[in-house]
Amino acid sequence: MALIVQKYGGSSVADAESIKRVAKRVVDTRRAGHDVVVAVSAMGDTTDELLDLANEVAPIPAPRELDMLLSSGERISMALLAMAIHSMGFEARSFTGSQAGMITDSQHGAARIVDVTPVRLREALDEGAIVIVAGFQGFNRDTRDITTLGRGGSDTTAVALAAALGADVCEIYSDVDGIYTADPRVIPKAQKLDHVSTEEMLELAANGAKVLYIRAVEYARRHGVLIHARSTFSSAEGTYVLGEGMKNPREAEGAVMEEPIVAGVATDFSHAKITVAGVPDVPGKAAEIFKIVARSGANVDMIVQNVSATGRTDISFTVPKADAAAALKSLAAEQNEVGFQNLVHDDQIGKLSVVGAGMRTHSGVSATLFEALSAGGINIEMISTSEIRISVVLRGDDLAEAARTVHTAYGLDGDTDVTVHAGTGR
Ligand code: ASP
Ligand code: MG
């Protein structure tokens, strides 16, 4: 008998029918003899709809009240799920984040979990109940207010519960059936991964893969939680996300796993490129520029600086598209102080990243990437690397074709096309 934490995303509890389907899955797990703790998201697009409502009554809703409002979405689904389970003849009890002991800092809208004290959950489990917890929310002890963890925060709730309760596995259910070598909507020959390491998953998520939230994976890595990402709509096994030294449960069952050098190819259209042209090539200019950009609140991803022949140089960097306007405005305001010649904004770029822990120990991984791109006649505008990732910035129009070529070059193509359900990973 195991303790299993299950998380169901918004698309899995979108209506009464879906909630009953989830109830059945939870009860099946209970029938198999396991203790079950469930974290739920708000039904369907509830969170977005509540946000729209808030914006209709106030241009800038008060953060405290916004959290009161948004946290109500998960209360609806938790209570309905408990009722659905009752009607199948099983005992279930729902808890809000604060009842569940989800203690956070006081940052409304982006609170971080600082402690989990699941006393009431333990009591309920000891009494034989299935435990249901509202995802995405917590409680701050100083302000005594309800907080939310940021969009997609229910993944983090589930992982934090799994850590605090010492669960055997944290199953994250959504409308996609695992982690793929690439986004199947871009690369139909993508294959489902049997497993991926937490560090690979973090790089994939940070570079455009949307199935799991970065914060949840970070939490899992820090606390040694085993994640199993799988689909609510099928009984197929999904993908295990393994922390350091963690044993793949399927290997324990006797399966032999080959370790690929490259785990996957991620694509990202969400960034824009800013070029600061004609910067005086003297010490301190990069510091000035990136201090200005940081003050604008923009989060810089890649940076390149060209060589200077003329005593002036160009510095290009990428930021999320949503941050570009603020960064440009701040830079323009200090053009004279910095002494650059002009600014260029380019939001037609795409980023392709190849991720794999095997890069540490294998040579030639980057050569394969560059050869594939060159054979496809695709121009590279920027390059950056980490220990287990190589990213290139390309024309946005080239990104899908480039990703397919590169996916093939690393031998990641499956035999058949994936049937893509309109999954969002939520
Ligand atoms: N309901 C919240 C959101 O839509 C939290 C979640 O789904 O994980 O962001
Ligand atoms: Mg949601």
Side-chain angles (χ1 to χ4, degrees):
M1 165 162 150
L3 171 58
I4 297 178
V5 172
Q6 301 185 330
K7 178 258 171 173
Y8 292 93
S11 62
S12 302
V13 292
D15 51 27
E17 255 343 284
S18 321
I19 290 174
K20 286 197 247 175
R21 185 186 306 121
V22 166
K24 177 158 185 322
R25 243 195 135 113
V26 171
V27 163
D28 283 347
T29 312
R30 181 80 190 121
R31 278 208 182 100
H34 305 304
D35 277 339
V36 194
V37 173
V38 183
V40 278
S41 291
M43 296 170 70
D45 297 326
T46 302
T47 308
D48 290 309
E49 287 158 13
L50 292 173
L51 265 175
D52 289 346
L53 260 179
N55 288 317
E56 273 176 47
V57 297
I60 305 172
R64 178 187 184 276
E65 303 309 326
L66 195 55
D67 276 357
M68 288 300 244
L69 179 72
L70 296 187
S71 62
S72 69
E74 272 70 10
R75 285 183 77 145
I76 295 172
S77 41
M78 75 175 192
L80 289 171
L81 180 57
M83 294 172 196
I85 293 173
H86 294 159
S87 67
M88 298 177 71
F90 282 75
E91 163 84 7
R93 222 169 288 167
S94 67
F95 297 92
T96 64
S98 76
Q99 287 177 319
M102 206 46 78
I103 310 299
T104 72
D105 63 16
S106 60
Q107 180 80 32
H108 285 295
R112 288 198 175 255
I113 297 168
V114 294
D115 194 12
V116 184
T117 52
V119 184
R120 297 196 61 187
L121 310 191
R122 284 228 182 274
E123 283 170 8
L125 286 172
D126 288 346
E127 288 163 25
I130 293 167
V131 166
I132 321 239
V133 179
F136 170 62
Q137 56 184 265
F139 175 78
N140 179 260
R141 281 186 176 132
D142 300 326
T143 62
R144 288 173 291 163
D145 279 328
I146 303 294
T147 54
T148 62
L149 310 179
R151 298 309 304 272
S154 302
D155 285 8
T156 319
T157 301
V159 172
L161 288 172
L165 294 165
D168 296 270
V169 61
C170 179
E171 299 181 333
I172 300 204
Y173 287 90
S174 71
D175 55 8
V176 298
D177 57 3
I179 317 290
Y180 278 75
T181 52
D183 183 342
R185 280 163 297 193
V186 179
I187 305 181
K189 290 229 169 345
Q191 301 185 72
K192 186 166 75 181
L193 291 162
D194 168 83
H195 63 278
V196 62
S197 70
T198 45
E199 52 170 6
E200 287 169 330
M201 192 61 234
L202 285 171
E203 289 278 15
L204 287 169
N207 290 286
K210 293 191 189 70
V211 180
L212 292 175
Y213 273 83
I214 292 181
R215 274 208 193 172
V217 180
E218 276 170 350
Y219 203 103
R221 178 167 67 169
R222 271 201 310 279
H223 294 85
V225 173
L226 173 65
I227 293 178
H228 184 187
R230 55 193 306 192
S231 166
T232 311
F233 304 96
S234 91
S235 57
E237 295 247 315
T239 303
Y240 283 106
V241 183
L242 302 172
E244 220 180 290
M246 239 179 230
K247 195 135 181 61
N248 185 337
R250 280 193 275 266
E251 250 164 350
E253 290 162 13
V256 182
M257 299 297 161
E258 52 169 322
E259 279 311 324
I261 298 169
V262 165
V265 174
T267 45
D268 187 354
F269 284 104
S270 69
H271 283 66
K273 183 170 81 170
I274 293 174
T275 301
V276 189
V279 181
D281 195 8
V282 294
K285 287 299 164 190
E288 280 179 44
I289 288 169
F290 289 105
K291 246 188 267 169
I292 295 166
V293 175
R295 272 202 307 270
S296 79
N299 204 345
V300 175
D301 183 27
M302 281 198 210
I303 302 174
V304 289
Q305 177 179 328
N306 291 343
V307 288
S308 73
T310 56
R312 285 184 182 271
T313 182
D314 296 345
I315 296 180
S316 295
F317 56 90
T318 62
V319 292
K321 278 182 182 157
D323 293 351
L328 286 163
K329 193 167 162 231
S330 303
L331 283 166
E334 304 204 37
Q335 175 162 11
N336 291 338
E337 276 86 321
V338 182
F340 62 85
Q341 287 166 328
N342 63 300
L343 288 171
V344 184
H345 177 208
D346 178 355
D347 62 1
Q348 300 299 310
I349 59 164
K351 181 168 68 169
L352 181 148
S353 302
V354 176
V355 173
M359 285 183 202
R360 279 207 188 88
T361 45
H362 287 79
S363 57
V365 179
S366 54
T368 304
L369 170 66
F370 298 133
E371 271 165 32
L373 292 174
S374 119
I378 292 156
N379 189 43
I380 301 170
E381 300 185 14
M382 298 168 100
I383 303 171
S384 85
T385 62
S386 83
E387 233 190 328
I388 63 163
R389 173 184 53 82
I390 315 164
S391 298
V392 291
V393 166
L394 317 162
R395 280 298 90 207
D397 289 342
D398 288 340
L399 184 57
E401 179 55 33
R404 281 190 288 272
T405 308
V406 168
H407 195 264
T408 305
Y410 284 108
L412 296 173
D413 290 356
D415 297 333
T416 51
D417 285 5
V418 181
T419 352
V420 182
H421 311 287
T424 56
R426 299 287 84 222

